[in-house]
Amino acid sequence: MANRAVDLVITYRVVKLLVTPFEKQEAFKYGIIDKDGKVLRKYRTLKGTKEKQSYTVLHRFIFNLKRILKRVGLGGKLGTFAVALGLLLREDNRYVEHKSLIESAVITYLKDTEQFIDLLKEEGNVPDYIVNEEPAYTCFGIDVYEKDGQLYSEKEYAKTL
């Protein structure tokens, strides 16, 4: 049971870092990364505990993942988060029972940091396309489909049809 609690804490931390824009990361405030997550200062050049804590191995992994997801073009932050959670659920089925808790924690965080409304505005209107397949997952209200081993948000999946 302790391992599951630790897993949930780590999962929450990963998803929280994923949903936090680069400009609101501590690493950005210290000038370690730019607004696009590009590294401006290597880890070995960081001075002080606060700078090093703001750019750990976990941070570097998440920042790289965010840049990759952006490059792939998942069609907005909400779609990106849905696919990220879908990847987590596909990787380990044990998280499925905690999916609602993870979604709730992320949405609460987004509301607390005043990002939720902007995220919904970015997502735009209700899509006008119809997909006649069952999604692999539905995360944050976004259907996530699997095609050729890749997960796609509903908006990006529709483009592949």
Side-chain angles (χ1 to χ4, degrees), residues 6 13 47 49 76 92 97 115 120 123 143 147 158:
V6 171
R13 193 153 177 234
K47 296 177 175 51
T49 306
D92 191 338
E97 67 183 87
Q115 298 178 63
L120 291 177
E123 196 58 35
D143 288 338
K147 182 176 183 179

Side-chain angles (χ1 to χ4, degrees), residues 81-144:
F81 303 143
V83 169
L85 183 54
L87 285 168
L88 180 69
L89 297 174
R90 184 175 72 177
E91 185 65 30
D92 191 338
N93 286 346
R94 293 177 299 166
Y95 289 112
V96 172
E97 67 183 87
H98 304 293
K99 179 178 157 289
S100 295
L101 177 65
I102 294 167
E103 289 174 329
S104 175
V106 169
I107 290 170
T108 299
Y109 172 77
L110 290 170
K111 286 179 178 178
D112 289 348
T113 57
E114 300 177 2
Q115 298 178 63
F116 189 67
I117 298 298
D118 292 337
L119 191 132
L120 291 177
K121 286 179 185 175
E122 177 188 294
E123 196 58 35
N125 297 327
V126 176
D128 58 354
Y129 46 81
I130 297 173
V131 178
N132 294 322
E133 298 173 36
E134 283 295 312
Y137 306 98
T138 299
C139 303
F140 301 104
I142 304 285
D143 288 338
V144 178

